[in-house]
Amino acid sequence: MNEDNFALASKIVSRSYVQQASEIRKQHENLIRQLLEQKRLPDDGWDESTIELLVNDMALMDSNNYPGNCGVGEREARIFSALVAKRHYRFGHGIGRSGDISAIQPKAAGSSLLNKLTNSLALDVLRLAGAQSTASCFVVPIATGMSLALCMSTFAQKKSKRPKYVIWTRIDQKACFKAIILAGFEPVVIENKLEGDELRTDVDAIEDRIKEIGADDICCVMTTTSCFCPRVPDRLEEVAMLCAQYEVPHLVNNAYGVQSTKCMHLLQQAGRVGRVDAYVQSTDKNFLVPVGGAVIAGFNQETIEDIGKAYPGRASATPSLDLFITLLTLGRNGYKKLVQERKDMFTYLKEELEKVAKTYNECLLATPHNPISLGMTLENVNLSKATELGSMLFTRLVSGTRVIAKDEVKTIQEHTFHGFGAHCDSYPVTYLTAAAAVGMTHQDVDLFIKRLHKVLVKFKKETNPKRFHNECLCLTHFCS
């Protein structure tokens, strides 16, 4: 209610009671005013009532919620199900217009405001996470792989002739590879170099291929930050300098890198010393929202605007609404706390996996450059059944682990990868991975370790029953 309505209410209910309610209302409105003025994350997260007050007010700004509105177009945000309308807070117009995903819709002032504010909050959190020089970003209602394809298609449009190739540092994750194929380019796979236990970027091989193919025929070089060990983040600074030197666009797959200050620092430094045209991150992996969105960001505002304009048609507002509500709930302090807790969980998970490895005469892979994922060898497990271990963990309600065997072969769009999952043709050991991602708790780690012990005991018993009998007493407490 506004001041006039509160004044009228005071004639019905005691003035002192109404005055108190009016002051509380002003507290909510002051938070909203600060958000509209500053367009940045609040220091402290908001309560649900303040968030719903703002979201409902913005929904009322859209024409489909005007009393007496008469829509005679083909798209008037008509929603048949009341349950669906409630789920979306009665937003129905989506975001953007046919020519630009960031454009304002005349019929949807509220949805447009939601879109602009969410993009501003996303930019603030990317800078807060470590990429301080990020100039622009926007939320897009497609996941990481499709977002990478959109970026590559935009880069190609800027070339004098359509390029044919994308130079891609190998990471055994299907979406980014399929994105290259979908966008109409031929992948040039750069194999990683084994340095100790880590798989690292072969910068010399990238330069050799740029020289061999020619910059004009290369859409971009695609690198990666967040990844499963033993692969580690690419040498972004060196690649960025190469891309600047040869005038080749540089696209970074930062799928779940926002939660890692190390990954974000790599991006910041790469943008400072060389060329990073865009970097893409998932909303669900970094901000604890449902799957379906990504944030496309970069250090040059014009480049990011061009990518936004290349998006065909309007877009769903759902990922933007989810992210908007979540970021307001967290605030700056809340997100910083989440990031710190993830770091703590990484340390705790590493300590506990080291204990497991020692118990079963295995080793924790030495991958100090990977700030999220850990790996443990499975050399003393029946290797012919090693992949069953992952299935056994899954049936025990452990999700997210990967068991990587040496001989896995995978064909993706007529391209064959040997040793698939290990990011190289012949990694020397079979191993299991686990990730300390944002939102993980001590209880998650403890349950994982307990169930991993149970599975490893079962494997050990089947592989070497006599040795198992001699050791079972020292393992009993893990399986209780």
Side-chain angles (χ1 to χ4, degrees), residues 272-285:
R272 183 182 63 84
V273 303
R275 179 169 181 170
V276 175
D277 293 75
Y279 64 95
V280 177
Q281 37 275 308
S282 163
T283 53
D284 65 280
K285 294 185 181 76

Side-chain angles (χ1 to χ4, degrees), residues 131-286:
Q132 299 94 336
S133 300
T134 303
S136 181
C137 76
F138 64 94
V139 179
V140 62
I142 48 178
T144 307
M146 292 295 289
S147 298
L148 292 169
L150 175 64
C151 292
M152 286 182 277
S153 296
T154 306
F155 297 161
Q157 293 171 14
K158 298 297 179 182
K159 295 270 190 175
S160 57
K161 67 170 186 175
R162 181 172 175 82
K164 184 177 180 181
Y165 302 100
V166 169
I167 294 178
W168 176 70
T169 55
R170 178 175 172 179
I171 174 172
D172 288 353
Q173 194 269 345
K174 296 177 185 177
C176 53
F177 186 79
K178 291 172 74 173
I180 298 172
I181 306 297
L182 178 66
F185 302 105
E186 183 176 326
V188 177
V189 181
I190 304 296
E191 295 290 343
N192 298 296
K193 293 168 62 177
L194 183 61
E195 298 181 7
D197 289 344
E198 294 184 324
L199 290 164
R200 306 213 64 189
T201 317
D202 190 341
V203 179
D204 290 338
I206 295 174
E207 183 171 20
D208 289 343
R209 297 313 300 270
I210 292 175
K211 290 178 178 178
E212 177 185 334
I213 297 169
D216 290 342
D217 215 12
I218 300 172
C219 171
C220 67
V221 175
M222 188 196 298
T223 55
T224 300
T225 54
S226 52
C227 52
F228 289 100
C229 77
R231 199 190 190 283
V232 300
D234 279 314
R235 290 183 162 102
L236 293 193
E237 291 182 48
E238 295 174 55
V239 177
M241 288 189 285
L242 274 183
C243 289
Q245 177 183 347
Y246 291 99
E247 298 183 347
V248 174
H250 183 194
L251 176 61
V252 182
N253 176 7
N254 190 46
Y256 50 99
V258 182
Q259 61 189 280
S260 166
T261 54
K262 189 170 188 176
C263 289
M264 296 304 285
H265 177 72
L266 288 174
L267 278 164
Q268 171 67 17
Q269 289 302 103
R272 183 182 63 84
V273 303
R275 179 169 181 170
V276 175
D277 293 75
Y279 64 95
V280 177
Q281 37 275 308
S282 163
T283 53
D284 65 280
K285 294 185 181 76
N286 294 288

Side-chain angles (χ1 to χ4, degrees), residues 20 25 143 171 265 287 304 326 354 394 438:
Q20 184 181 40
R25 172 72 181 219
I171 174 172
H265 177 72
F287 304 114
I304 302 306
T326 301
E354 284 176 335
F394 186 77
V438 66

Side-chain angles (χ1 to χ4, degrees), residues 363-383:
C363 297
L364 200 65
L365 297 177
T367 54
H369 291 95
N370 192 318
I372 298 174
S373 177
L374 294 162
M376 186 186 78
T377 64
L378 295 174
E379 288 298 276
N380 292 296
V381 166
N382 185 340
L383 297 182

